Amino acid sequence: FDLIRLREFIPLGQRIESFQVDVFENNQWKKIAEATSIGACRILYLAHPISTNRVRVKINTSPVCVTFSEIGFYKKAE
């Protein structure tokens, strides 16, 4: 994948203030992207494609429980 799409469940409000996306590589977690909010839709474009078996979305700051409506990983069309 080289594109990540995240969406919050907006009927409950925007809740995430900062987050990061990590992949498991060489027996350790490696940060590949970070941003300040998600809201209705956040698309993260990566510089190069990544292949992995483990991905985590780490919420760094949120005043209340988070609610996702979608987390997707895609490969951009060539």
Side-chain angles (χ1 to χ4, degrees):
F1 63 90
D2 56 4
L3 186 146
I4 303 167
R5 183 169 68 182
L6 304 158
R7 294 180 180 198
E8 289 187 72
F9 186 68
I10 292 303
L12 295 178
Q14 183 172 322
R15 297 168 170 229
I16 297 170
E17 295 176 352
S18 70
F19 70 97
Q20 70 187 50
V21 179
D22 303 333
V23 295
F24 198 71
E25 187 176 275
N26 298 324
N27 291 322
Q28 61 186 352
W29 289 102
K30 175 185 171 186
K31 180 170 52 174
I32 59 167
E34 64 182 333
T36 56
S37 64
I38 294 175
C41 184
R42 167 69 73 164
I43 298 175
L44 303 169
Y45 298 95
L46 304 178
H48 54 83
I50 292 177
S51 179
T52 185
N53 291 327
R54 296 184 196 173
V55 178
R56 74 178 176 191
V57 178
K58 185 176 176 184
I59 307 304
N60 296 324
T61 310
S62 178
V64 293
C65 289
V66 299
T67 56
F68 283 102
S69 62
E70 179 184 354
I71 300 174
F73 302 92
Y74 307 95
K75 175 71 177 84
K76 289 185 287 192
E78 297 290 323

